[in-house]
CSV table of all heavy atoms in Angstrom, one decimal:
chain,number,residue,atom,x,y,z
A,232,ASP,N,-72.8,-32.0,10.5
A,232,ASP,CA,-73.9,-32.9,10.1
A,232,ASP,C,-74.4,-32.6,8.6
A,232,ASP,O,-74.8,-33.6,7.9
A,232,ASP,CB,-75.1,-32.7,11.0
A,232,ASP,CG,-74.8,-33.2,12.4
A,232,ASP,OD1,-73.8,-33.9,12.6
A,232,ASP,OD2,-75.6,-32.8,13.4
A,279,GLN,N,-61.3,-2.0,11.1
A,279,GLN,CA,-62.5,-1.4,11.5
A,279,GLN,C,-63.2,-0.8,10.3
A,279,GLN,O,-62.6,-0.4,9.3
A,279,GLN,CB,-62.3,-0.2,12.5
A,279,GLN,CG,-61.9,-0.7,13.9
A,279,GLN,CD,-60.6,-1.5,13.9
A,279,GLN,OE1,-59.7,-1.1,13.3
A,279,GLN,NE2,-60.5,-2.6,14.7
A,325,VAL,N,-58.5,-21.6,3.4
A,325,VAL,CA,-57.0,-21.5,3.6
A,325,VAL,C,-56.6,-22.2,4.9
A,325,VAL,O,-55.4,-22.3,5.2
A,325,VAL,CB,-56.5,-20.1,3.5
A,325,VAL,CG1,-56.9,-19.4,2.3
A,325,VAL,CG2,-57.0,-19.3,4.8
A,330,GLU,N,-56.0,-11.4,6.0
A,330,GLU,CA,-56.2,-10.1,6.5
A,330,GLU,C,-56.7,-9.2,5.4
A,330,GLU,O,-56.2,-9.3,4.2
A,330,GLU,CB,-54.9,-9.5,7.1
A,330,GLU,CG,-54.5,-10.0,8.4
A,330,GLU,CD,-53.4,-9.2,9.1
A,330,GLU,OE1,-52.5,-8.8,8.3
A,330,GLU,OE2,-53.4,-9.1,10.3
A,332,GLY,N,-57.9,-4.9,4.7
A,332,GLY,CA,-57.8,-3.5,5.3
A,332,GLY,C,-58.2,-2.5,4.3
A,332,GLY,O,-58.5,-2.8,3.1
A,373,THR,N,-51.2,-2.1,16.4
A,373,THR,CA,-52.2,-3.2,16.7
A,373,THR,C,-53.3,-3.3,15.7
A,373,THR,O,-53.7,-4.4,15.3
A,373,THR,CB,-52.8,-3.0,18.1
A,373,THR,OG1,-51.8,-2.7,19.0
A,373,THR,CG2,-53.6,-4.2,18.5
A,386,ARG,N,-61.5,4.9,-0.7
A,386,ARG,CA,-60.9,5.8,0.2
A,386,ARG,C,-61.9,6.5,1.1
A,386,ARG,O,-63.1,6.6,0.8
A,386,ARG,CB,-60.1,6.9,-0.6
A,386,ARG,CG,-59.1,6.3,-1.5
A,386,ARG,CD,-58.4,7.3,-2.5
A,386,ARG,NE,-57.5,8.1,-1.8
A,386,ARG,CZ,-56.2,7.8,-1.6
A,386,ARG,NH1,-55.7,6.6,-2.1
A,386,ARG,NH2,-55.4,8.6,-1.0
A,390,TRP,N,-65.8,7.5,0.4
A,390,TRP,CA,-66.9,6.9,1.2
A,390,TRP,C,-67.8,8.0,1.8
A,390,TRP,O,-69.0,7.9,1.8
A,390,TRP,CB,-66.4,6.0,2.2
A,390,TRP,CG,-67.4,5.5,3.2
A,390,TRP,CD1,-68.2,4.4,2.9
A,390,TRP,CD2,-67.7,6.0,4.5
A,390,TRP,NE1,-69.0,4.2,4.0
A,390,TRP,CE2,-68.8,5.1,5.0
A,390,TRP,CE3,-67.3,7.0,5.2
A,390,TRP,CZ2,-69.3,5.4,6.2
A,390,TRP,CZ3,-67.9,7.3,6.5
A,390,TRP,CH2,-68.9,6.4,7.0
Side-chain angles (χ1 to χ4, degrees):
D232 294 344
Q279 288 64 39
V325 306
E330 285 193 323
T373 310
R386 300 172 77 84
W390 176 80

